Amino acid sequence: MQGELLRADQSRSPREDQRSSEGRLRPERLRTDCPVLLSERLVMRAPHEEDIDALAHLANNAKVATMVSRMPHPYTADDAADFVRRTKNGEIGKCVYAITKAENGAFIGCCGVEPHADGRTVEIGYWLGEPYWNKSYATEACHALVDMVFRTRQDVDQIDARCRVMNVASRRVIQKCGFQFQGSGLAASLALGSNVPVEWYRLDRKTWMSLRSWGNIA
């Protein structure tokens, strides 16, 4: 699902959280296979403290929070600072990126990759601040993220993506990146405090290889 991509169940006990954190890679090793990504208009790199103000401003929007899985609403500067800290500590996903504009470095959103337990599947997620919607930035970021995964991680056979059923724009991004519909179900929404209907899509390596010239995707 488009969002922070926190796979950990928020209902876990503190002891379970501690064991999970202890089992993770150290932060400096965590990002060795998460290179900075460059596209025509974007630079995708690790979130840092200078992003906190812009992150808090863009994320404090119900139109954003209700479309992602693990974003609280309201969203404060303290939430943004905690997000940056947790990404540095490797507590959120495998690779979490700040999406920035190449021309001026402006922070416009986030995306990330999270591995599944099977070792062959990862899930991607993303969100953009409302001022940057309908400019194809999400599609550009998603293309870069998908290419990075399949080019650098030979053990990954497939990539999953999810979106809310009502999120037409996110569905369009997923489809433009070559993902195929797999099914529907429910997923938790932190901002809404309930489960919401979502659609599940998948892109396998063979399909990606046939679509490597992204310009061929309508």
Side-chain angles (χ1 to χ4, degrees), residues 37-45 97-100 108-113 124-128 135-149 173 177 179 214:
L37 304 179
L38 307 177
S39 62
E40 182 178 355
R41 299 177 297 166
L42 303 174
V43 176
M44 297 156 62
R45 42 89 179 148
Y97 287 98
I99 305 172
T100 67
I108 66 173
C110 287
C111 61
V113 177
I124 66 170
Y126 49 86
W127 67 268
L128 292 178
K135 301 179 187 297
S136 295
Y137 287 131
T139 302
E140 189 171 330
C142 192
H143 282 169
L145 202 58
V146 166
D147 286 346
M148 182 275 289
V149 170
V173 169
C177 290
F179 286 75
W214 291 111

Side-chain angles (χ1 to χ4, degrees), residues 161-163 165 180-186 197-202:
R162 302 174 197 271
C163 67
V165 170
Q180 302 298 312
F181 179 76
Q182 301 296 309
S184 57
L186 295 174
V198 298
E199 294 177 345
W200 164 39
Y201 293 81
R202 173 166 287 174

Side-chain angles (χ1 to χ4, degrees), residues 53-97:
D53 288 344
L55 169 58
H57 173 69
L58 295 176
N60 189 31
N61 183 339
K63 295 179 183 178
V64 174
T66 57
M67 292 298 166
V68 304
S69 56
R70 301 289 186 178
M71 182 181 289
H73 183 74
Y75 195 97
T76 68
D78 286 341
D79 291 319
D82 187 58
F83 173 81
V84 172
R85 178 191 61 78
R86 288 185 291 137
T87 60
K88 286 188 174 183
N89 291 340
E91 298 174 20
I92 302 177
K94 175 61 176 171
C95 289
V96 178
Y97 287 98

Side-chain angles (χ1 to χ4, degrees), residues 105-124:
F107 175 94
I108 66 173
C110 287
C111 61
V113 177
E114 174 66 15
H116 286 202
D118 64 7
R120 299 171 44 251
T121 308
V122 301
E123 186 165 336
I124 66 170

